[in-house]
Amino acid sequence: AEYMGELFPFVCCVWSCAVFSAMRVLKTTIITADLNSHEWMCLIASVCTFIALCLSTYQIFKHLRHFNQPQFQLYICRIVLMIPIYSVQSLLSLLFPDAAVVFGTLRDCYEAYVLYIFTQLLVQYLGGEPNIVLHLELQKRLRHPWPMGDLLKPINLNRTFFRRIKQGTLQFVLIKPVTAVIALILEAYNLYGEGELAFDKGYPYLSFINNISVSISLYCLILFYTATEERLQPFRPVAKFLCVKAIIFFSFWQSCALAVLVQIGFFADDETGGFSAESRATIMQNFIICVEMVMASIAHSFAFSYNDFIDKENLKKRGPIITNLKTILNVRDVLQDAHETFIRPANVEIPLQDRQKAPEEEKDTLLRAE
């Protein structure tokens, strides 16, 4: 009862999304009792979205209720938030196919944001930038993973390496929104052609740029994990990385695979429903994402469990949930870090007192994980 007032906005949000998404389909069901394939997809996707929203918002709520280690949970909640965003955006794109590009812009931007947030979560697990730099400087040179190890020289692990890792991850956060806005502009002039592999459309060029950018970002994450694998083991990083990578990987390559299927004639124009082959492929993509988000929400509940942060001895010292939510939604820390990563001179030394500082929060979490 103590937290029902703070839980009420979450309940309203979940309920409103579920009702709104089901209205269009239920109206047709009640009146005609005859659903076509698109309406069946909308109905199934509505149910899947409702389930994913319930699971993910509950997970976020429990983290906010037990917000005992904000240096970790701040990033965890931002990562789990991708489930509601992906689910709602995909369902809206399914219900209103003509506006799919507009709805997809938010998903594309948040996809890039999550990769950067995951990197920051790993940084916090390792005790912050000063401790990471000291740890890296004590390690031997890092060999690139296969097959790049046969082509590139081993990497020196130092402050420059860490800065390049952050830049490689953060560049996707900057490029993805730009390409998303360009897609909206091209769509307004009928020059984007989502799903069309045509040289006179913007879709293949923007997809190529995004593919290169996300590949660099993911590769930087792999390098960073390889360099710090031993210290990250108590925090189960592999499961967390797979949860994040799977959503981004499958959503992107599914769209590419469906675009190829359109070109080879697998999808035909639907004259009855009024959908082109490209629109049908986009509808299928959004339907698949809605279904996948149910599985993703279950996986996130284990990989990013709130149980690791429950402190029964200090239940009364928790801050208000709404205040914790505002902290999560505030992206000032991201903007500040982006400024320091790209604009701060690379040769700036970390103060000695910061290099010698060992955060107590990391020690407590490490002991709990063990």
Side-chain angles (χ1 to χ4, degrees):
E2 177 184 357
Y3 290 96
M4 285 306 296
E6 296 175 325
L7 181 59
F8 183 74
F10 289 94
V11 177
C12 291
C13 177
V14 173
W15 177 254
S16 300
C17 291
V19 172
F20 176 77
S21 63
M23 282 178 59
R24 191 170 176 173
V25 176
L26 291 180
K27 180 180 178 181
T28 305
T29 307
I30 295 174
I31 295 177
T32 65
D34 183 21
L35 300 179
N36 58 37
S37 59
H38 178 247
E39 289 166 341
W40 272 114
M41 294 174 86
C42 291
L43 179 60
I44 296 173
S46 299
V47 175
C48 292
T49 299
F50 178 75
I51 296 173
L53 281 173
C54 289
L55 293 175
S56 57
T57 52
Y58 175 78
Q59 182 76 359
I60 293 174
F61 168 75
K62 296 298 285 185
H63 271 289
L64 295 177
R65 185 177 181 183
H66 301 283
F67 208 60
N68 298 314
Q69 298 188 49
Q71 73 274 23
F72 303 138
Q73 292 172 281
L74 169 68
Y75 301 107
I76 289 176
C77 289
R78 288 173 175 175
I79 293 173
V80 178
L81 192 60
M82 73 186 301
I83 302 294
I85 291 177
Y86 266 58
S87 299
V88 173
Q89 177 276 327
S90 298
L91 182 59
L92 291 176
S93 298
L94 197 60
L95 294 173
F96 308 101
D98 294 337
V101 176
V102 178
F103 293 130
T105 301
L106 176 61
R107 183 186 70 188
D108 293 340
C109 295
Y110 204 81
E111 171 187 295
Y113 177 67
V114 163
L115 269 181
Y116 167 74
I117 290 301
F118 182 71
T119 304
Q120 289 300 99
L121 176 62
L122 297 183
V123 170
Q124 292 302 315
Y125 280 151
L126 295 169
E129 181 173 341
N131 285 344
I132 292 175
V133 172
L134 288 176
H135 171 73
L136 293 175
E137 291 176 346
L138 295 175
Q139 305 301 309
K140 60 182 181 179
R141 300 177 72 188
L142 176 67
R143 179 179 173 84
H144 285 271
W146 184 88
M148 304 305 294
D150 298 329
L151 303 174
L152 301 175
K153 297 180 180 180
I155 311 172
N156 291 321
L157 300 181
N158 48 32
R159 183 181 295 103
T160 301
F161 166 79
F162 181 66
R163 183 181 176 87
R164 295 290 180 263
I165 290 296
K166 292 183 65 176
Q167 290 175 341
T169 306
L170 195 56
Q171 54 82 27
F172 186 50
V173 182
L174 303 177
I175 291 177
K176 189 69 173 183
V178 172
T179 57
V181 172
I182 293 176
L184 287 177
I185 297 174
L186 293 177
E187 180 69 15
Y189 292 95
N190 198 29
L191 295 174
Y192 180 56
E194 183 174 11
E196 298 183 34
L197 300 179
F199 292 108
D200 59 343
K201 298 294 184 180
Y203 173 79
Y205 303 105
L206 294 180
S207 296
F208 176 77
I209 294 173
N210 288 331
N211 185 29
I212 296 297
S213 180
V214 71
S215 298
I216 293 174
S217 185
L218 288 173
Y219 189 70
C220 287
L221 267 178
I222 293 174
L223 286 178
F224 183 63
Y225 170 73
T226 305
T228 58
E229 180 178 4
E230 184 178 348
R231 292 188 62 191
L232 284 172
Q233 285 303 320
F235 303 102
R236 307 188 305 274
V238 175
K240 294 177 173 62
F241 178 72
L242 290 178
C243 284
V244 173
K245 183 178 179 179
I247 294 177
I248 297 174
F249 179 85
F250 284 118
S251 64
F252 178 78
W253 286 106
Q254 280 169 183
S255 64
C256 294
L258 290 171
V260 172
L261 291 177
V262 170
Q263 296 302 312
I264 64 177
F266 184 84
F267 289 98
D269 294 338
D270 184 4
E271 298 180 358
T272 304
F275 299 116
S276 64
E278 291 78 13
S279 297
R280 292 186 63 193
T282 302
I283 289 172
M284 179 62 69
Q285 161 78 348
N286 289 301
F287 172 74
I288 293 174
I289 290 177
C290 288
V291 176
E292 289 173 339
M293 287 304 102
V294 176
M295 297 179 285
S297 61
I298 296 174
H300 275 65
S301 65
F302 289 98
F304 300 98
S305 176
Y306 65 88
N307 291 319
D308 297 334
F309 304 98
I310 295 179
D311 187 356
K312 296 181 179 180
E313 298 180 358
N314 297 313
L315 292 179
K316 296 183 179 180
K317 296 182 180 180
R318 296 187 299 252
I321 292 180
I322 298 301
T323 301
N324 297 336
L325 179 61
K326 291 179 180 179
T327 302
I328 290 172
L329 298 179
N330 189 344
V331 296
R332 184 179 303 174
D333 59 310
V334 178
L335 299 177
Q336 180 180 355
D337 188 66
H339 178 272
E340 294 178 354
T341 300
F342 285 100
I343 299 178
R344 187 187 67 185
N347 59 352
V348 171
E349 292 288 335
I350 300 174
L352 180 60
Q353 60 270 26
D354 291 338
R355 295 164 64 95
Q356 295 175 340
K357 184 178 179 181
E360 295 298 328
E361 296 87 350
E362 183 200 8
K363 294 181 180 179
D364 295 340
T365 307
L366 187 60
L367 291 174
R368 180 178 300 176
E370 292 175 343

